[in-house]
Amino acid sequence: MGILQNILEQVINGLRSGSIYALIALGYTMVYGIAKMINFAHGDIIMVGAYALYVGITLLHLPIVAAVLFSIAVCTILGVVIERVAYKPLRSAPPLAVLITAIGVSFLLQSLSLLIFGATPIPQASIVTFEGIKIGGVSISGITIVTLIVTTICMIVLTWFIHKTKMGSAMRAVSEDKGAAELMGIDVNKTISLTFAIGSALAAIAGILYVCQYQSLRPTLGAMPGIKAFVAAVLGGIGSVPGAMLGGVILGLIESLSKAYISTELSDAIVFGILVLVLLVKPSGLLGKIRKEKV
Amino acid sequence: MKNKKIDKQLIKNIAIIVVVYAVVAGLLYGGFLTRQFRSLLVPVCINVILAVSLNLTTGFLGELTLGHAGFMSVGAYTGALITMNLNLPLVVEFPIALIAGGLMASLFGVIIGVPVLRLHGDYLAIVTLAFGEIIKSLINAMSVTNGAMGLSGIELHANYKHFTFVFILTILTIFAIKNMVNSRQGRAVCSIRDNYIAAEAVGIPVSKFKVMAFVVAAFFAGIAGVIYGHNVGTLKPTTFDYNKSIEILVIVVLGGMGSIKGSIIAAVILTILPEVLRGADEFRMLLYAIVLIAMMIFNSSQLKERILANDIVAKFTKVKKEA
């Protein structure tokens, strides 16, 4: 196999993991845009989505499509419940309190799944049984093709939703100015719940794709992709939807190429190094807007 | 008048320290402690040092730090490598290891200090988390730290037999941080937490004090790391992960952010409680999570306001707040 094919394969791998990061990053960035908080528990919703898929297929013996819908529904409801129970009482609290609560929720989800499912990894076969294809010596696995198609569809639908529907405009209005949006008759609480619902549904899809890739379930499965997706969101400019997509793909490419050509152990350090670098040079990210802080 | 009051407080504190030490040492050297409790003495001290130092950045400076375990690991590895390679008597090599571990950790504190100058709030929390992960993966990749295998056979210079020394170190840490918080620098740090724009406007060099708080916190975390390494005897990069940082954060939050006394009490309780309730070990993390969420929601709820309005409870909390 030539060097060119090798590089191409790594690029495709990077696109695959990058598009999963992008899906997760969208959840972070939408919630940040509207509720002005980092939802630390977002990564663990991915884990819940993956476990829900396992429950649906292995324990309830649902057909694949029903299991996927079940997983998405579980995460959507969970996301809304978390927002109502843990974050809503803290709407006017200082950011530090909200951040610590979010970390608490993340820990809660992890330890609950540890109690229910145990610490030993559970194998879960991929739901994609579709064979890969080979184009000019470059082989692309089935899961890669499915991941790329699913994430592209999700992003197109989301962009359409945000820009063309009434609820989408409400979301944009709330993210721009919560007070003014409320005066215009927008139900802010409902909009925030909707944002959490959409973000969690995307996280469920990301969780399903992730578990099809790695085929094993652990309670801490969501932590790393969650943090990396956050890096992607910051890289693209937090609060910006196209930024999250771009950031996710770029991060996936960097990670895949550094794993292949620099060092497997150092790839995490490189990814986080990029985060630090971006925050130092351009804290607003690639496509983000600069917000001036007022007294 | 004022001097007399401070002296009284000081005498009271010294009395408490002497009594605590006498009781614990009496139990330890008198052989009244079971193995399980004996092995808990040093971890309690380590957690007190970690919690008090994290309180400096999270409680007094008001910036959430999620990479405290990273500083701890830098100190632990530095100290362990020094005592393993220097073949000097304990009295010489252990203090060298402690100071070197602390200094190395504070060097990393300076490196973290650079982004600290430009960021605050959520972003800073994420950067400290990222630094913790970077340190972990660097330790994993380096050969001098023996990668994922970790170090083993570290001389046990800080296990329960050396409790007196560890106890003195803990007290020194508490005094250093308490004095710093009550000094001019400490007031400057607190003013940054309360309103950094106002602090800047009255001429406080915000950046300098922020970095200073981080460096001091990192130094003591490094010292805690050195003690940890010389108590357990083995070091692995995975010991110092994100969960360890959160564990320290839980102690600080439970004890009360900005309260040194609270941190000490919470550190003692949260180290001993899981060991006493061995059977419920799986529920420990669940308990931590619920404590975090409940404390935060309670703190900003109206229930707290009502309780504070009540006179008897107000007196009780007032005593706590003075710490």
Side-chain angles (χ1 to χ4, degrees), chain A residues 32 38 40 90 96-97 99-101 103-104 107-108 111 115 224 230 238 266 269 272 275 279-280 293 295, chain B residues 64 115 118 120 122-123 125-127 129-130 133-134 137-138 196-197 242 246 282-283 285-286 289 292 296 300:
Chain A
Y32 191 87
I38 296 175
F40 247 96
L90 296 169
L96 188 63
L99 200 54
I100 292 176
T101 312
I103 292 171
F107 244 57
L108 184 75
S111 43
L115 281 177
M224 249 314 155
F230 180 81
I238 199 145
L266 284 179
F272 291 119
L275 171 77
L279 286 176
L280 281 180
E293 210 159 323
V295 182
Chain B
L64 190 57
R118 297 193 51 165
H120 62 98
D122 302 350
Y123 281 92
I126 293 294
V127 167
L129 193 161
E133 292 296 320
I134 290 174
S137 59
L138 284 181
Y196 83 100
I197 297 175
Y242 169 64
I246 298 290
E282 298 142 25
F283 293 93
M285 288 300 176
L286 192 68
L292 275 182
M296 284 302 128
S300 53

Side-chain angles (χ1 to χ4, degrees), chain B residues 28-251:
Chain B
L28 173 65
Y29 296 115
F32 294 112
L33 287 182
T34 58
R35 242 186 95 156
Q36 189 194 5
F37 276 97
R38 216 165 53 194
S39 67
L40 274 177
L41 289 175
V42 176
V44 166
C45 290
I46 294 171
N47 279 346
V48 168
I49 297 179
L50 285 171
V52 170
S53 59
L54 182 68
N55 210 340
L56 187 64
T57 48
T58 301
F60 293 103
L61 183 65
E63 295 290 5
L64 190 57
T65 319
L66 300 173
H68 217 53
F71 295 134
M72 188 185 168
S73 68
V74 171
Y77 272 95
T78 313
L81 286 173
I82 285 176
T83 49
M84 283 168 89
N85 291 317
L86 282 182
N87 286 318
L88 295 170
L90 189 159
V91 200
V92 185
E93 69 173 6
F94 193 50
I96 294 177
L98 278 173
I99 291 168
L103 286 180
M104 193 57 121
S106 48
L107 182 72
F108 277 77
V110 174
I111 300 172
I112 263 205
V114 180
V116 165
L117 293 177
R118 297 193 51 165
L119 305 167
H120 62 98
D122 302 350
Y123 281 92
L124 181 59
I126 293 294
V127 167
T128 55
L129 193 161
F131 258 106
E133 292 296 320
I134 290 174
I135 291 172
K136 200 178 90 185
S137 59
L138 284 181
I139 289 176
N140 235 330
M142 279 196 299
S143 59
V144 73
T145 54
N146 205 11
M149 297 280 290
L151 296 174
S152 55
I154 305 161
E155 291 147 78
L156 300 175
H157 288 336
N159 64 359
Y160 69 92
K161 286 177 193 148
H162 306 275
F163 173 70
T164 310
F165 185 61
V166 176
F167 187 81
I168 292 171
L169 275 177
T170 312
I171 298 298
L172 282 179
T173 307
I174 296 169
F175 264 98
I177 293 194
K178 199 171 165 63
N179 276 339
M180 192 189 142
V181 168
N182 291 336
S183 70
R184 189 189 169 84
Q185 280 82 8
R187 285 192 295 276
V189 166
C190 288
S191 76
I192 296 170
R193 169 193 64 191
D194 293 337
N195 190 331
Y196 83 100
I197 297 175
E200 208 161 24
V202 295
I204 291 170
V206 169
S207 318
K208 189 184 122 189
F209 282 114
K210 268 179 145 181
V211 175
M212 191 188 76
F214 267 88
V215 170
V216 173
F219 179 81
F220 287 110
I223 288 199
V226 179
I227 300 174
Y228 176 86
H230 291 86
N231 178 40
V232 179
T234 53
L235 288 176
K236 266 189 180 163
T238 46
T239 318
F240 307 102
D241 58 356
Y242 169 64
N243 285 4
K244 181 74 195 167
S245 300
I246 298 290
E247 228 169 274
I248 311 166
L249 182 70
V250 174
I251 296 175

Side-chain angles (χ1 to χ4, degrees), chain A residues 260-276:
Chain A
Y261 299 108
I262 300 175
S263 154
T264 324
E265 281 135 351
L266 284 179
S267 79
D268 280 357
I270 291 169
V271 166
F272 291 119
I274 287 168
L275 171 77
V276 176

